[in-house]
Amino acid sequence: AAFISIQAFPALLDLPEDLEVSAVSCGSRHTAVITRGGELYTWGWGKYGQLGHGNNISSDQARRVEHLVAKGLRVEEVVCGPWTTYIRVLE
């Protein structure tokens, strides 16, 4: 099981160096970023499927949401709620 740290203060994002981030949103226990290329990466607590990886698994590492890539969707905006993640996409 992944260890998910809950922090009540700002923290540096630990992302691969080649990612150019254009937007970030944080939920109560998960985080999502959009790259300049329109890809969505998520990590954190995934109990309710809010990471978008098709399961309820938590992850302490940023992972690309492959379903969006497979559908050819480009993410334009992301908003994380307490247990949800909302996105706006372009096809």
Side-chain angles (χ1 to χ4, degrees):
F3 172 76
I4 305 302
S5 174
I6 299 172
Q7 299 177 348
F9 51 87
L12 293 174
L13 298 178
D14 185 17
L15 299 171
E17 288 184 30
D18 59 338
L19 290 184
E20 293 184 32
V21 175
S22 63
V24 177
S25 183
C26 298
S28 63
R29 294 184 176 129
H30 70 293
T31 304
V33 299
I34 302 172
T35 67
R36 293 206 189 278
E39 295 178 329
L40 181 69
Y41 285 76
T42 61
W43 67 98
W45 192 49
K47 182 175 180 177
Y48 300 108
Q50 65 268 40
L51 300 181
H53 300 293
N55 56 44
N56 295 343
I57 298 172
S58 297
S59 174
D60 61 351
Q61 298 292 317
R63 292 180 43 215
R64 185 171 72 171
V65 179
E66 297 296 337
H67 175 77
L68 300 171
V69 176
K71 294 287 186 180
L73 300 173
R74 178 186 165 106
V75 179
E76 292 292 313
E77 188 175 354
V78 63
V79 176
C80 293
W83 302 292
T84 56
T85 304
Y86 301 96
I87 59 172
R88 182 171 60 90
V89 297
L90 289 178
E91 294 186 35

